[in-house]
């Protein structure tokens, strides 16, 4: 999968570095669903299906055992890791100043900074985690008020992390769903939604690709963005799948995010620190349930279904809110 390598630095969030217009006309679906897109989807389906066939074999079981050995130490400290990284994140955006949750979400309120420090302080004790979670929900609500629900649809990961912290603090699950699974689902939705942006607005990223030309590995910018979007969407969908598939997908995604930090600097490091921590938690998670047993052929069907639904929701939602065209 050459485009996994080519997309390794596409995880830099373009809104943090380039001009953008959320309300602008996206590329029409007739332009997005081109031959390149179909070939990339076919490649993604092939590798996802192959991974599902390998998982129940001796090779798949050996891979899981290897992952368990490598991640054993961190698995015992998953909660502490997420709490520490969240504290780092909120202290960092407080120190930078003028940021609500992510670099493009600006604020001039001094009370936001106070709330960010309070959220970070709440990470010190398990019993105060629900208060930190409530503070994160408040910041997310403020961001929705000023920037709109469609813009904040890029960031449900924050609500997922807030839910994780609240559930851990209260020592409860969510209708039988573990806290880690809640934030895993939020991470998957976040990345699937963000990948659509790479197809709808590839031109936003072109200045970055000109400045960091080496990351395209010689491919033209249009193809690179299509490939980057397909890689991100497929790996994000894989977070919803079976244990080996989601752990391997998390490892690849974590590698992509970390490599982007080296390429794009401290803003990218701070902005993506929470999702990197979540990805490491997923890599370490060795819990498997009966519901995780799924026929291999369901993975390609699920991927295509999720892609159809996400594309439909993005374009129809954008057209309804901003009166843009779909085709």
């Amino acid at each position: 999968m050459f485009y996994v390598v080519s997309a390794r630095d596409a995880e830099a969030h373009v809104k943090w570095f380039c001009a953008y217009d959320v309300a602008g006309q996206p590329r029409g679906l007739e332009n997005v669903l081109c031959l390149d897109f179909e070939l990339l989807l076919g490649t993604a389906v092939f590798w996802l299906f192959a991974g599902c066939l390998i998982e129940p074999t001796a090779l798949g079981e050996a891979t899981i055992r290897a992952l368990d050995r490598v991640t054993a130490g961190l698995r015992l400290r998953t909660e502490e890791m997420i709490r520490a990284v969240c504290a780092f994140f909120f202290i960092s955006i407080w120190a930078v100043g003028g940021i609500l949750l992510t670099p493009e979400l600006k604020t001039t309120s001094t009370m936001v900074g106070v709330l960010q420090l309070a959220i970070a302080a709440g990470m010190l004790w398990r019993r105060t985690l629900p208060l930190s979670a409530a503070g994160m929900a408040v910041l997310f609500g403020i961001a929705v008020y000023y920037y709109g629900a469609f813009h904040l649809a890029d960031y449900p990961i924050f609500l997922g992390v807030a839910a994780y912290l609240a559930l851990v603090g209260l020592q409860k699950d969510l209708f039988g769903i573990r806290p880690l699974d809640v934030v895993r689902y939020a991470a998957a939705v976040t990345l699937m939604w963000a990948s659509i942006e790479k197809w709808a607005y590839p031109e936003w990223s072109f200045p970055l690709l000109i400045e960091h030309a080496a990351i395209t590995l010689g491919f033209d910018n249009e193809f690179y963005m299509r490939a980057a979007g397909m890689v991100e969407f497929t790996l994000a969908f894989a977070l919803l799948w079976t244990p080996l598939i989601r752990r391997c997908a998390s490892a690849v995604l974590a590698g992509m995010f970390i490599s982007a930090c080296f390429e794009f600097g401290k803003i990218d490091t701070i902005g993506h620190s929470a999702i990197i921590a979540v990805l490491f938690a997923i890599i370490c998670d060795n819990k498997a349930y009966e519901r995780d047993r799924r026929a291999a052929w369901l993975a390609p069907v699920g991927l295509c279904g999720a892609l159809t639904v996400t594309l439909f929701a993005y374009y129809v939602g954008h057209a309804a809110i901003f009166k843009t065209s779909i085709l």
Side-chain angles (χ1 to χ4, degrees):
M1 287 175 70
F2 70 89
Y3 58 88
V4 169
V5 178
S6 74
R8 69 190 186 279
D9 292 319
E11 295 302 333
H13 203 294
V14 67
K15 291 192 180 82
W16 302 350
F17 301 100
C18 297
Y20 67 91
D21 179 12
V22 173
Q25 173 64 49
R27 293 278 182 96
L29 280 178
E30 62 182 6
N31 180 280
V32 171
L33 303 177
C34 61
L35 180 60
D36 283 347
F37 184 93
E38 294 166 359
L39 291 173
L40 290 166
L41 177 58
T43 305
V45 163
F46 172 80
W47 284 108
L48 181 62
F49 183 62
C52 291
L53 290 177
I54 291 171
E55 182 162 358
T57 67
L59 176 59
E61 292 171 0
T63 305
I64 289 176
R65 289 194 299 270
L67 280 171
D68 289 345
R69 285 195 299 272
V70 171
T71 61
L74 187 56
R75 182 162 54 250
L76 299 174
R77 296 288 181 266
T78 295
E79 177 193 329
E80 289 85 349
M81 174 189 67
I82 293 178
R83 286 163 56 182
V85 172
C86 286
F88 160 80
F89 171 80
F90 282 102
I91 291 172
S92 296
I93 61 174
W94 166 80
V96 172
I99 295 174
L100 269 171
L101 279 173
T102 59
E104 89 279 13
L105 303 176
K106 304 297 186 182
T107 182
T108 57
S109 172
T110 56
M111 292 307 298
V112 165
V114 173
L115 181 55
Q116 289 166 346
L117 286 180
I119 292 169
M123 302 294 168
L124 293 172
W125 303 277
R126 178 178 281 182
R127 66 173 178 269
T128 57
L129 291 181
L131 297 177
S132 290
M136 291 177 68
V138 169
L139 289 180
F140 194 90
I142 294 171
V144 170
Y145 178 81
Y146 284 106
Y147 287 88
F150 197 90
H151 191 143
L152 269 293
D154 278 2
Y155 303 116
I157 183 63
F158 287 109
L159 296 181
V161 172
Y164 171 88
L165 295 171
L167 292 169
V168 167
L170 296 171
Q171 296 187 314
K172 295 183 179 297
D173 57 29
L174 183 65
F175 304 110
I177 304 173
R178 296 180 305 152
L180 183 55
D181 287 330
V182 172
V183 73
R184 174 165 63 87
Y185 299 151
V189 171
T190 298
L191 295 176
M192 285 193 290
W193 186 266
S195 67
I196 305 299
E197 203 170 78
K198 291 179 171 61
W199 301 322
Y201 299 102
E203 64 276 4
W204 292 354
S205 297
F206 290 166
L208 271 184
L209 299 183
I210 293 171
E211 185 178 351
H212 302 268
I215 68 176
T216 66
L217 298 182
F219 297 108
D220 70 83
N221 292 345
E222 290 281 352
F223 178 79
Y224 177 83
M225 292 307 298
R226 292 189 184 109
M230 189 60 69
V231 170
E232 185 173 0
F233 191 94
T234 304
L235 293 172
F237 172 79
L239 297 180
L240 303 173
W241 213 246
T242 48
L244 179 59
I245 298 297
R246 64 184 178 238
R247 293 174 76 178
C248 289
S250 297
V252 175
L253 282 166
M256 291 164 62
F257 277 114
I258 291 170
S259 68
C261 293
F262 287 106
E263 187 76 27
F264 296 101
K266 64 181 180 181
I267 292 297
D268 200 72
T269 303
I270 293 169
H272 283 138
S273 57
I275 196 168
I276 291 172
V278 169
L279 291 170
F280 272 102
I282 298 169
I283 296 168
C284 296
D285 182 30
N286 66 348
K287 291 290 188 349
Y289 298 95
E290 188 62 32
R291 63 176 179 267
D292 286 326
R293 295 182 178 273
R294 301 170 191 168
W297 64 267
L298 288 173
V301 173
L303 174 62
C304 294
L307 180 58
T308 301
V309 169
T310 309
L311 274 170
F312 179 84
Y314 191 100
Y315 274 84
V316 171
H318 199 280
I321 295 171
F322 300 113
K323 311 304 179 186
T324 51
S325 60
I326 296 174
L327 298 176

